[in-house]
Amino acid sequence: MVNKNLIVRNRAGIHARPAAMIVKVANKFKSELYMEKGSIKINGKSIMGVITLGAGFKSEIMISCEGDDEVAMADALEKLFENRFEQ
Amino acid sequence: MTSCTILELLDVDLKEHNKLQLSCLAGRSGLSNKIISSKISRPGLPLSGFFESFAGDAVQIFGHGEQSYLDMLDENNDYSNIERLFSYNVPCCIFTHNYTPSERFIEIAEEASTPLLKTALISSDFSRHIYQLLDELFAPTQTIHGVFVEVYGIGVLITGDSGVGKSETALELIERGHRLISDDTVKLRNISSSFLVGGGENPMLAHHMEIRGIGIINLANIFGVGAIRNKKQVQLLVHLEEWDSDKNYDRVGEENMKASFLGIDIPKLVIPIKPGRNIPIIIETAARNERLKQLGYHSAKEFDQSVLKWFETESAKKMYYINEENTL
């Protein structure tokens, strides 16, 4: 299992479009993805779940990837967060 | 939740139709005080000077008895015990019967920045409501991935891997007149260790659903207010999974599988998915069957009983035929 702490860098936070991007990236991999913020832990492969996190600007999210391609998945997500969801 | 502020408590109460009828008298600066336990305290003994085992971290409720005592202290101009009570940093004081304490009392509370709240309710009614509210706020919670629907009055939690068709199944159930409580993330609460209540994680986002190919839809708008519900007791777990031909699925219905969440057991069914199986109808039937079980009628057991009875009568008849054969 790979755990990573990621910080939301785009001003609008994780609204519908960034959430869709996370899910799209996550679904390219076979591993399971869980995202945690505060007391909420959700499945990272579902849009509604990711939006439920309510992750605003500068909030910190812990992702945990588990499976055969967990390292590649965590790297891809980290890149996505660093690119501010291409905005 | 391990702690909540007074403000959050008031906020939750407002959403519950203002059952507690609280209003703030003084000490507004302390509205961010934290309540850290679901206990409540009646400070009669501390007011009379006995502070041993005093629950200073609990919400303090001043009922009729305490109020009369306060009046007496006020007449005697004795505020030492009140000052000592506030030195415990109590989260808040609540007065029932719409009682307003003396000016000096309010001053002491302001100095300690402890909010004073009052309610028109009588102490027994108020205690009941606030216990219920705090119980819910401090209940152990768990967030799980699944869809929660109400089918024929039974709270059915549908789980399964991503893409197995949970949301589509729920959509069909809603179309057939059942209700959605939450899609995708379900927040479970253990209420007084006796039952499990499920609801949406965030009321702002509740009753929305993501359907692949359509996007995010608002069910309350599409299907009307009758298609939604905010919370419900979880009474049945239906786990959907791809049909595995090597696995044995329950054929009789006597297995009685259980799933456990937060220490509470719930009947569990595993339903295999295969093209051509109408899952919503299977879930409807499971819910009806669960209702029957709750009423004390267990279909599979009754069936088995009648089969056994039939065998008995058959073998009883056979005895006569054997006797007849013998006499001939």
Side-chain angles (χ1 to χ4, degrees), chain B residues 72-128:
Chain B
M72 192 202 78
L73 289 179
D74 195 36
E75 265 171 41
N76 299 344
N77 224 351
D78 174 12
Y79 295 99
S80 55
N81 287 338
I82 298 173
E83 272 161 11
R84 193 163 161 208
L85 188 137
F86 279 106
S87 72
Y88 278 77
N89 286 328
V90 294
C92 75
C93 297
I94 299 171
F95 298 94
T96 56
H97 302 92
N98 249 341
Y99 173 86
T100 307
S102 66
E103 270 169 30
R104 180 70 193 121
F105 189 99
I106 293 176
E107 252 172 52
I108 297 169
E110 288 277 7
E111 272 165 31
S113 61
T114 301
L116 300 182
L117 309 168
K118 70 171 179 181
T119 171
L121 296 176
I122 61 167
S123 309
S124 53
D125 284 346
F126 182 79
S127 310
R128 242 194 328 269

Side-chain angles (χ1 to χ4, degrees), chain B residues 11-294:
Chain B
D11 199 41
V12 171
D13 180 48
L14 275 180
K15 276 181 208 140
E16 303 257 321
H17 316 292
N18 200 7
K19 244 195 274 179
L20 298 177
Q21 302 178 28
L22 285 170
S23 57
C24 190
L25 273 172
R28 282 191 172 72
S29 57
L31 285 175
S32 58
N33 282 2
K34 280 200 166 97
I35 305 174
I36 53 161
S37 83
S38 62
K39 281 186 295 187
I40 60 171
S41 156
R42 295 289 297 262
L45 285 171
L47 284 179
S48 66
F50 185 78
F51 277 88
E52 219 162 283
S53 316
F54 169 53
D57 54 357
V59 174
Q60 308 292 322
I61 295 179
F62 290 74
H64 238 331
E66 285 86 359
Q67 290 164 12
S68 316
Y69 199 79
L70 281 182
D71 288 340
M72 192 202 78
L73 289 179
D74 195 36
E75 265 171 41
N76 299 344
N77 224 351
D78 174 12
Y79 295 99
S80 55
N81 287 338
I82 298 173
E83 272 161 11
R84 193 163 161 208
L85 188 137
F86 279 106
S87 72
Y88 278 77
N89 286 328
V90 294
C92 75
C93 297
I94 299 171
F95 298 94
T96 56
H97 302 92
N98 249 341
Y99 173 86
T100 307
S102 66
E103 270 169 30
R104 180 70 193 121
F105 189 99
I106 293 176
E107 252 172 52
I108 297 169
E110 288 277 7
E111 272 165 31
S113 61
T114 301
L116 300 182
L117 309 168
K118 70 171 179 181
T119 171
L121 296 176
I122 61 167
S123 309
S124 53
D125 284 346
F126 182 79
S127 310
R128 242 194 328 269
H129 290 324
I130 196 159
Y131 261 129
Q132 199 186 358
L133 199 67
L134 288 174
D135 248 3
E136 266 182 46
L137 276 172
F138 283 92
T141 60
Q142 183 185 353
T143 305
I144 61 153
H145 184 60
V147 185
F148 191 29
V149 284
E150 183 204 71
V151 182
Y152 295 123
I154 297 278
V156 183
L157 184 60
I158 307 171
T159 58
D161 291 337
S162 256
V164 82
K166 297 183 296 289
S167 295
E168 285 79 359
T169 304
L171 200 61
E172 171 85 41
L173 283 167
I174 293 158
E175 175 70 39
R176 296 171 66 88
H178 305 294
R179 298 190 173 100
L180 178 87
I181 297 132
S182 180
D183 176 48
D184 208 82
T185 44
V186 185
K187 192 176 188 177
L188 302 174
R189 276 200 193 91
N190 167 340
I191 305 290
S192 4
S193 302
S194 54
F195 53 91
L196 201 65
V197 169
E201 175 72 60
N202 184 341
M204 299 269 283
L205 306 174
H207 310 134
H208 285 73
M209 200 180 238
E210 186 235 342
I211 299 288
R212 254 141 262 196
I214 303 178
I216 294 170
I217 54 173
N218 182 341
L219 285 157
N221 284 355
I222 294 182
F223 292 99
V225 74
I228 55 165
R229 218 192 134 125
N230 288 334
K231 55 183 181 185
K232 170 81 191 160
Q233 188 186 345
V234 183
Q235 287 152 303
L236 181 65
L237 177 86
V238 173
H239 184 75
L240 304 181
E241 62 177 34
E242 302 277 347
W243 191 296
D244 182 356
S245 50
D246 295 333
K247 199 174 162 183
N248 274 324
Y249 294 101
D250 195 357
R251 302 295 292 265
V252 179
E254 278 192 313
E255 273 186 32
N256 285 332
M257 277 188 287
K258 298 263 185 225
S260 181
F261 295 102
L262 300 164
I264 296 175
D265 284 347
I266 287 164
K268 176 185 174 181
L269 298 174
V270 176
I271 310 259
I273 304 267
K274 206 177 175 182
R277 288 199 101 201
N278 190 334
I279 304 302
I281 290 182
I282 293 175
I283 290 179
E284 269 187 354
T285 312
R288 284 178 196 251
N289 203 28
E290 188 57 34
R291 282 200 78 154
L292 271 180
K293 278 185 201 168
Q294 286 179 2

